């Protein structure tokens, strides 16, 4: 990646700890540590942090004045290139803080958008990120325009070029509606494909979860698919899907999805709705959890909130506790979930059993005698159902079978 060849930007993390009851929306040690990871993922180096304890945010400046003064001193002392705030700053706040500090000011949303821009691979993913970036930037245009030209490289500059943005707001609005239209078309296309899959009796299972939980690794393990897996946040932006066949011949399409994170910018959720639609439409959800992360419970809460926001509710969910190779003792509460190690391929069979139990189209055991005149049916039974035994008799092929409800109807007359 050409970006890595540039000088690493020196970044200070900043935020206001408000002591909110809703810790997932507050700035906490955990959210700041995660922000630091995001900075690293974007190619920067964290050189310091400045967290203020304060119950309210300042409308104009986000932090209190005294704290901003301290921050400015820290910027000088640490020779920082940028400050990243742990919340989405309003356009006014961004402008004021940029004026005051005189260096690049980013916020959590922009950082996430930047990483998404870096990671998007498919045409659709790129369109979605561009849409989210433009929507984020539109109200902030003046903010960067005069004081700070962002034509330089580095964090916060990937995606559509800034000069173009500055030149013509109307151009951006036009671009936004063109993108929306294009994404809508792709969404329709995706819907058609989904419809076809349904008709073919394919069951869909979406892998959802917090970023870095191990979704892509698991998909690899399950299918030997060559999906990009690495220890960086948001390694996957585009849904990648692979088909597996259960031993009762049910076909399950596993769909990888983009990782969730706390304080996910809402523009991004909006833009990624059509990708996340896969999770909304899936028959089963596999919620992959990094059980070795001490924030696992918070991660689960974030994922469950996003799932309910996008309407992916009311379907079977399997909680998959991953990375159990990193746990010292084996976890005790195994009732509500499966413990696996995607990396070491541990308990993958158990997971598949759980998937088979949760997926629709479960089969029941029957014994049937298929007359030789209906020979094609025997082939179909082999291809789509599970054949336990088969012998030839005078009356036809006697088969012990596991069949789904549809097939049960079809062979009803031959059941013994
Ligand atoms: N120790 C251990 N590491 C794992 C396991 N599964 C995945 N990892 C590691 O966790 C990191 C993230 O894995 P990914 O599969 O990229 O995670 P992801 O959920 O797809 O992440 P995003 O696409 O960013 O949402 C990689 O370094 C994996 O090697 C596991 O079972 N044990
Ligand atoms: Mg991934």
């Amino acid at each position: 990646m050409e970006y890595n060849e540039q000088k690493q930007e020196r970044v200070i993390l900043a935020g206001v700890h408000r002591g909110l009851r809703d810790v997932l929306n507050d700035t906490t040690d955990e959210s700041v540590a995660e922000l630091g990871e995001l900075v690293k993922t974007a190619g920067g180096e964290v050189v310091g942090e400045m967290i203020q304890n304060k119950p309210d945010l300042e409308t104009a400046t986000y932090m209190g004045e005294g704290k901003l003064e301290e921050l400015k001193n820290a910027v000088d002392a640490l020779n920082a290139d940028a400050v990243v705030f742990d919340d989405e700053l309003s356009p006014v706040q961004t402008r004021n803080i940029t004026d005051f500090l005189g260096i690049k000011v980013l916020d959590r949303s922009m950082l996430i958008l930047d990483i998404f821009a870096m990671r998007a691979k498919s045409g659709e993913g790129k369109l979605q990120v561009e849409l989210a970036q433009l929507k984020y930037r539109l109200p902030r245009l003046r903010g960067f325009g005069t004081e700070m030209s962002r034509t330089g490289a580095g964090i916060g500059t990937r995606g559509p070029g800034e000069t173009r943005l500055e030149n013509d707001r109307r151009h951006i609005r036009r671009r936004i509606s063109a993108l929306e239209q294009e994404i809508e078309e792709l969404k329709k296309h995706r819907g058609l494909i989904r419809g076809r899959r349904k008709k073919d009796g394919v069951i869909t299972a979406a892998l959802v979860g917090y970023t870095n939980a191990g979704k892509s690794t698991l998909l690899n393990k399950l299918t030997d698919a060559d999906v990009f897996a690495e220890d960086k946040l948001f390694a996957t932006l585009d849904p990648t899907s692979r088909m597996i066949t259960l031993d009762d011949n049910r076909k399950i399409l596993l769909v990888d999805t983009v990782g969730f994170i706390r304080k996910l910018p809402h523009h991004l959720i909006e833009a990624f709705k059509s990708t996340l639609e896969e999770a909304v439409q899936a028959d089963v959800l596999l919620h992959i959890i990094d059980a070795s992360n001490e924030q696992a419970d918070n991660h689960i809460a974030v994922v469950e909130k996003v799932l309910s926001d996008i309407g992916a509710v009311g379907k079977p969910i399997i909680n998959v506790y991953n990375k159990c190779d990193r746990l010292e003792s084996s976890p005790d509460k195994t009732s509500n979930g499966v413990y696996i190690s995607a990396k070491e391929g541990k308990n993958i069979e158990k997971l598949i059993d759980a998937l088979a139990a949760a997926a629709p189209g479960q089969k029941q055991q029957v014994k049937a005698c298929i007359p030789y005149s209906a020979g094609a049916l025997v082939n179909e039974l082999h291809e789509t159902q599970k054949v336990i035994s088969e012998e030839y008799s005078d009356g036809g092929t006697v088969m012990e079978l596991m069949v789904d409800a549809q097939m049960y109807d079809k062979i009803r007359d031959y059941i013994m």
Side-chain angles (χ1 to χ4, degrees):
M1 208 159 294
E2 58 173 19
Y3 179 60
N4 287 340
E5 288 156 23
Q6 291 163 3
K7 168 185 169 292
Q8 259 198 329
E9 281 174 276
R10 297 169 60 79
V11 175
I12 295 178
L13 310 177
V16 174
H17 173 67
R18 285 181 278 168
L20 296 179
R21 187 169 315 169
D22 176 8
V23 289
L24 296 175
N25 272 317
D26 205 351
T27 289
T28 56
D29 288 348
E30 293 80 27
S31 74
V32 173
E34 188 175 84
L35 188 68
E37 287 301 314
L38 289 167
V39 167
K40 268 194 256 167
T41 299
E45 181 193 0
V46 176
V47 294
E49 61 180 63
M50 180 80 52
I51 309 303
Q52 178 171 32
N53 288 310
K54 193 174 182 305
D56 311 297
L57 303 177
E58 296 291 334
T59 318
T61 54
Y62 178 74
M63 289 183 142
E65 239 174 85
K67 205 69 185 174
L68 270 185
E69 197 70 54
E70 250 182 81
L71 184 57
K72 193 181 168 81
N73 292 337
V75 165
D76 292 340
L78 295 165
N79 194 19
D81 302 301
V83 178
V84 180
F85 289 83
D86 191 39
D87 278 301
E88 181 167 319
L89 298 176
S90 72
V92 171
Q93 289 167 340
T94 310
R95 189 156 60 229
N96 289 336
I97 298 174
T98 307
D99 281 351
F100 185 78
L101 295 179
I103 62 166
K104 182 150 77 177
V105 170
L106 302 167
D107 64 19
R108 187 180 182 93
S109 295
M110 191 176 195
L111 192 57
I112 293 175
L113 289 170
D114 199 55
I115 294 171
F116 271 57
M118 209 162 69
R119 290 299 167 91
K121 291 262 155 48
S122 76
E124 186 175 12
K126 285 182 181 148
L127 296 177
Q128 289 170 332
V129 178
E130 185 182 353
L131 177 61
Q133 284 187 316
L134 291 177
K135 285 190 168 174
Y136 171 90
R137 285 185 190 177
L138 189 58
R140 293 174 172 77
L141 266 191
R142 239 196 311 165
F144 327 134
T146 44
E147 307 89 357
M148 290 262 319
S149 161
R150 280 179 189 250
T151 45
I155 303 170
T157 61
R158 282 164 286 230
E162 196 74 44
T163 17
R164 191 180 75 202
L165 301 186
E166 286 165 3
N167 287 345
D168 193 351
R169 264 170 200 264
R170 268 177 310 159
H171 174 84
I172 298 178
R173 292 212 181 86
R174 273 203 301 272
R175 180 77 188 136
I176 285 178
S177 62
L179 285 168
E180 282 173 341
Q181 243 167 35
E182 230 175 307
I183 290 170
E184 191 54 36
E185 286 303 311
L186 289 168
K187 184 178 165 179
K188 276 190 204 141
H189 178 69
R190 217 189 253 280
L192 286 177
I193 294 179
R194 224 173 5 240
R196 208 172 306 144
R197 278 196 322 240
K198 230 170 207 143
K199 237 176 82 203
D200 291 344
V202 176
I203 300 156
T204 321
L207 279 71
V208 297
Y210 211 74
T211 181
N212 216 44
K215 299 178 289 298
S216 300
T217 308
L218 177 62
L219 192 68
N220 276 327
K221 208 61 188 188
L222 284 168
T223 64
D224 291 320
D226 199 17
V227 186
F228 189 38
E230 65 171 325
D231 205 356
K232 284 196 172 169
L233 300 173
F234 301 117
T236 308
L237 276 183
D238 305 310
T240 317
S241 36
R242 295 289 186 275
M243 188 87 82
I244 60 169
T245 307
L246 299 178
D247 67 350
D248 63 6
N249 272 329
R250 268 183 295 169
K251 291 198 183 328
I252 301 204
L253 187 77
L254 297 158
V255 186
D256 198 0
T257 64
V258 55
F260 301 161
I261 193 163
R262 66 182 93 193
K263 303 183 191 173
L264 202 58
H266 76 274
H267 287 320
L268 208 51
I269 297 186
E270 275 302 308
F272 271 82
K273 273 233 165 98
S274 65
T275 307
L276 292 171
E277 188 82 2
E278 291 291 350
V280 179
Q281 299 289 341
D283 297 301
V284 185
L285 298 178
L286 297 183
H287 179 178
I288 318 302
I289 298 147
D290 178 352
S292 72
N293 191 307
E294 49 184 39
Q295 287 290 303
D297 286 343
N298 279 333
H299 292 177
I300 292 171
V302 170
V303 172
E304 286 177 350
K305 169 108 186 5
V306 179
L307 287 176
S308 99
D309 285 352
I310 61 174
V313 287
K315 57 186 83 207
I317 292 199
I318 303 171
N319 283 339
V320 182
Y321 294 90
N322 189 31
K323 308 199 187 181
C324 68
D325 55 286
R326 281 197 189 157
L327 299 178
E328 279 177 15
S329 57
S330 61
D332 37 42
K333 44 161 196 178
T334 41
S335 52
N336 182 29
V338 190
Y339 282 81
I340 65 158
S341 166
K343 199 170 177 176
E344 296 183 351
K346 226 166 87 186
N347 281 352
I348 301 294
E349 287 306 316
K350 276 205 183 129
L351 173 60
I352 295 192
D353 290 347
L355 182 58
Q362 282 212 65
K363 297 184 173 172
Q364 54 177 314
Q365 187 162 353
V366 294
K367 191 168 180 182
C369 178
I370 313 293
Y372 293 116
S373 58
L377 198 51
V378 173
N379 286 340
E380 191 180 340
L381 285 165
H382 274 284
E383 273 162 30
T384 63
Q385 313 293 316
K386 181 171 178 167
V387 177
I388 301 164
S389 73
E390 182 177 21
E391 31 185 88
Y392 304 101
S393 74
D394 291 344
T397 314
V398 175
M399 304 174 90
E400 274 183 288
L401 301 158
M402 298 286 292
V403 295
D404 58 29
Q406 236 176 333
M407 183 54 81
Y408 187 91
D409 276 348
K410 212 166 166 176
I411 60 169
R412 191 181 285 274
D413 291 346
Y414 310 132
I415 291 176
M416 299 166 80

